[in-house]
Amino acid sequence: MQTLFRLALSVFISLLVAFFLASCMPRAAYRTQEAAPLEPCVAQPVTIVAESCRKAITERTDAYDLHFVEFDDQGWTYPKGASVNGQEPVDKSSEQLRLVMERLNDTLKEKHVRIFVFFHGWKHNASFNDPNVIGFRDFLNEAALYEKAAQSDNRVVGIYVGWRGKSLDIDDPWLSATFWERKTAAQHVAVGSVRELTAQLRAFQRHANGTQPGAVQKYTKPTAQPVRIYMIGHSFGGLALYASVAQSLIYGFISGDDIDGRRAPVERLGDMIVLINPAFEATRYEPLDRVARNRHDYNSYQSPVFVAITSRTDEATKTLFPLGRALNSAFETELTAEEQRANRNTPGNIDAYLTHQLDMATSDPIECFGWTAKPRTPEEVATNIRLEYNNSQVFRASLIAGLWPRDADGKPMPRKFCGSMVLSPLGGPDTPYRNPDPNMPLWNISTVDAIIKGHNGINEPAFRSFLRQLFLDEYLDTDVRPAARMSAPQLPR
């Protein structure tokens, strides 16, 4: 009987292993084609992709360029393929990073560029029909529509950072069993060659904008910056992005002492970094949070350098993540209850780290009347831009001596966005640990289901409009010109 049981168990395990091996996704890059197709890669709707574009390292459309950079499970770029009969390999995935940077430089010779970098999350990859790729195309197309309606000549460019977030070709609930294995892969990606990508982009921007050390005076704000970069990470992609830039962010908050005793604005890595439902332990976030709160001399409002946004209905980070961490951290040493809580939960699910809450309001601000949630015509897009721009200007006019406005009791006032969204700082007259200075450009936001639906609802119209207005705030932080107020819906170029 015992022998029969062992035989049955052996057969079961063998079948299970065979099932998972047969279900493995390719361990190779999806984007192997060097030549950028001449024809537009995407038609309307944006799910229709030309056959010649499906393995392209660069997809081009009339509205935007989309580049792909992929990393393997160790965080390396993919290796160069073997030559055949002395011929160069057709697979050019090992050249992705070099090609993308070259193409960015080529584009900059013709136009100013607005770059959006997206790090996808768990259960996704860089295949042409992955839902995250489709959603990013749609995001870029919308960004291009807004640039056009703003009478801007900027070229919208996307960089999709791919990795094996989906390691098995199976559906849930089986796919969810890869959570911790893919978390480990994301950690490897974070400390691998993706750091070269973020460093290359930073150098590219500083060189183009003339802001490398010694090039300009510290407080100079150029009225037109040829390169603007916004980096976005979702889920484990948020882990990969955060880990690759955390040290630079910490340095940006600590540095800035001036010889006259003043503090310079917090240094930016790109223009803004946004994490959506980030899936990593708050112990990794705590050093950045601490240095930001310890800097008590925010003598003027500065649009956020770093933003983390977590949905209150995200069960993946709210429930599954701490459950899994409770199991695999059982033998780790934690000296305090606070440290244990941080080691088992994400930054967006610990009250002590939150700085704001984002909710739906009952009505739009007066400045936003006529704003459309889903603009379908160029005229509606142009109207939205004008109204969002005006709303941002009203907020800036409400700053008191350059600081976030407060009510008579000293409590920070909420900021209202078009789309009936209201952002409330958690500060007050006193500043206990969870209530930082509202002028601190490190934001950790908790939001509602109507704005980000669960873990993957990152393409909700409300959330997209919030992101756009957040980026617009930063854009105006440096580029606003007095004349721009006179010519709606035109924006600073």
Side-chain angles (χ1 to χ4, degrees):
M1 180 65 71
Q2 191 176 31
T3 302
L4 184 61
F5 173 76
R6 287 177 176 174
L7 178 62
L9 182 61
S10 176
V11 170
F12 174 76
I13 292 174
S14 297
L15 289 173
L16 192 63
V17 170
F19 169 74
F20 279 107
L21 287 176
S23 303
C24 277
M25 297 295 286
R27 297 179 182 271
Y30 287 89
R31 303 294 175 151
T32 60
Q33 176 184 314
E34 177 179 6
L38 297 177
E39 74 273 24
C41 280
V42 180
Q44 294 296 331
V46 293
T47 52
I48 301 175
V49 182
E51 184 70 32
S52 61
C53 300
R54 297 184 178 189
K55 293 185 177 181
I57 294 169
T58 296
E59 295 180 6
R60 297 195 192 281
T61 74
D62 294 336
Y64 62 84
D65 298 332
L66 173 55
H67 305 296
F68 291 82
V69 181
E70 297 175 80
F71 302 95
D72 67 16
D73 278 6
Q74 294 302 319
W76 289 27
T77 54
Y78 281 89
K80 185 176 181 178
S83 60
V84 179
N85 297 325
Q87 300 295 316
E88 276 291 308
V90 175
D91 182 344
K92 296 294 183 179
S93 56
S94 64
E95 302 294 313
Q96 288 174 343
L97 183 52
R98 177 185 63 81
L99 289 169
V100 168
M101 295 311 303
E102 286 181 357
R103 288 168 182 177
L104 284 177
N105 277 288
D106 289 342
T107 303
L108 185 61
K109 293 174 183 176
E110 302 295 329
K111 292 185 176 183
H112 291 183
V113 292
R114 191 168 187 180
I115 302 171
F116 298 93
V117 187
F118 180 70
F119 290 66
H120 71 76
W122 182 34
K123 302 181 183 179
H124 294 279
N125 52 42
S127 62
F128 78 94
N129 59 352
D130 183 273
N132 272 190
V133 175
I134 294 170
F136 193 44
R137 290 191 192 110
D138 198 35
F139 177 91
L140 296 173
N141 188 63
E142 184 177 285
L145 286 174
Y146 273 75
E147 290 290 335
K148 183 177 180 180
Q151 302 177 25
S152 161
D153 196 37
N154 296 338
R155 180 66 173 175
V156 170
V157 177
I159 300 177
Y160 187 93
V161 180
W163 58 286
R164 291 181 72 242
K166 184 177 183 180
S167 57
L168 297 176
D169 189 18
I170 54 176
D171 296 322
D172 277 325
W174 294 101
L175 187 58
S176 293
T178 66
F179 185 87
W180 294 110
E181 173 245 341
R182 289 299 87 197
K183 180 176 184 288
T184 300
Q187 290 171 325
H188 291 163
V189 171
V191 297
S193 295
V194 72
R195 293 185 174 188
E196 180 184 353
L197 170 63
T198 55
Q200 290 266 27
L201 289 172
R202 188 180 192 184
F204 171 72
Q205 182 179 34
R206 286 187 165 195
H207 178 77
N209 294 353
T211 55
Q212 63 267 46
V216 293
Q217 294 181 352
K218 182 175 290 185
Y219 295 102
T220 297
K221 290 184 177 180
T223 56
Q225 297 185 8
V227 175
R228 309 195 70 92
I229 300 176
Y230 302 93
M231 291 186 274
I232 307 165
H234 172 235
S235 184
F236 286 153
L239 161 62
L241 172 56
Y242 177 75
S244 67
V245 300
Q247 186 59 43
S248 295
L249 287 168
I250 290 172
Y251 174 81
F253 276 91
I254 291 177
S255 66
D257 283 314
D258 207 346
I259 57 174
D260 58 5
R262 293 181 59 200
R263 285 274 195 176
V266 174
E267 184 179 352
R268 294 182 178 276
L269 183 64
D271 290 279
M272 191 181 295
I273 295 171
V274 177
L275 306 186
I276 312 165
N277 288 333
F280 60 86
E281 300 85 345
T283 46
R284 308 283 77 82
Y285 175 77
E286 195 273 342
L288 175 62
D289 181 84
R290 185 175 67 253
V291 299
R293 293 173 191 258
N294 284 346
R295 179 173 164 165
H296 295 297
D297 55 350
Y298 296 105
N299 51 22
S300 64
Y301 168 75
Q302 178 183 359
S303 58
V305 172
F306 173 91
V307 181
I309 312 173
T310 301
S311 173
R312 295 169 206 161
T313 60
D314 175 14
E315 292 301 323
T317 63
K318 182 180 180 180
T319 304
L320 297 180
F321 189 95
L323 179 62
R325 282 297 294 159
L327 295 175
N328 69 3
S329 66
F331 298 103
E332 295 181 11
T333 300
E334 298 143 340
L335 301 182
T336 65
E338 178 189 10
E339 188 174 51
Q340 182 185 70
R341 188 162 52 251
N343 199 27
R344 298 184 181 185
N345 292 275
T346 66
N349 286 287
I350 298 179
D351 286 349
Y353 294 121
L354 294 178
T355 62
H356 300 72
Q357 59 186 32
L358 179 65
D359 299 295
M360 296 300 296
T362 55
S363 62
D364 255 346
I366 295 174
E367 300 79 26
C368 297
F369 284 159
W371 185 89
T372 306
K374 297 180 180 179
R376 302 185 185 280
T377 66
E379 291 75 21
E380 289 179 337
V381 172
T383 297
N384 274 9
I385 287 182
R386 176 175 54 82
L387 296 175
E388 290 165 7
Y389 174 74
N390 289 344
N391 187 50
S392 180
Q393 293 294 86
V394 168
F395 168 71
R396 290 176 182 283
S398 74
L399 298 178
I400 301 172
L403 298 171
W404 189 286
R406 296 177 184 263
D407 63 19
D409 296 323
K411 184 178 180 180
M413 299 286 287
R415 164 76 198 281
K416 297 179 180 180
F417 290 87
C418 295
S420 301
M421 293 174 288
V422 58
L423 181 73
S424 302
L426 297 175
D430 301 316
T431 53
Y433 184 73
R434 66 168 299 205
N435 295 338
D437 185 335
N439 300 291
M440 182 179 80
L442 178 76
W443 292 6
N444 186 18
I445 303 171
S446 172
T447 193
V448 293
D449 192 59
I451 296 175
I452 300 179
K453 191 174 182 63
H455 186 67
N456 291 311
I458 62 177
N459 288 316
E460 296 293 322
F463 179 61
R464 281 197 179 184
S465 69
F466 174 72
L467 263 191
R468 183 174 63 249
Q469 293 174 73
L470 201 61
F471 294 156
L472 176 63
D473 267 7
E474 186 281 327
Y475 192 71
L476 299 181
D477 224 8
T478 54
D479 280 358
V480 66
R481 302 178 192 175
R485 298 188 181 93
M486 302 166 56
S487 55
Q490 191 171 17
L491 285 178
R493 300 182 186 180

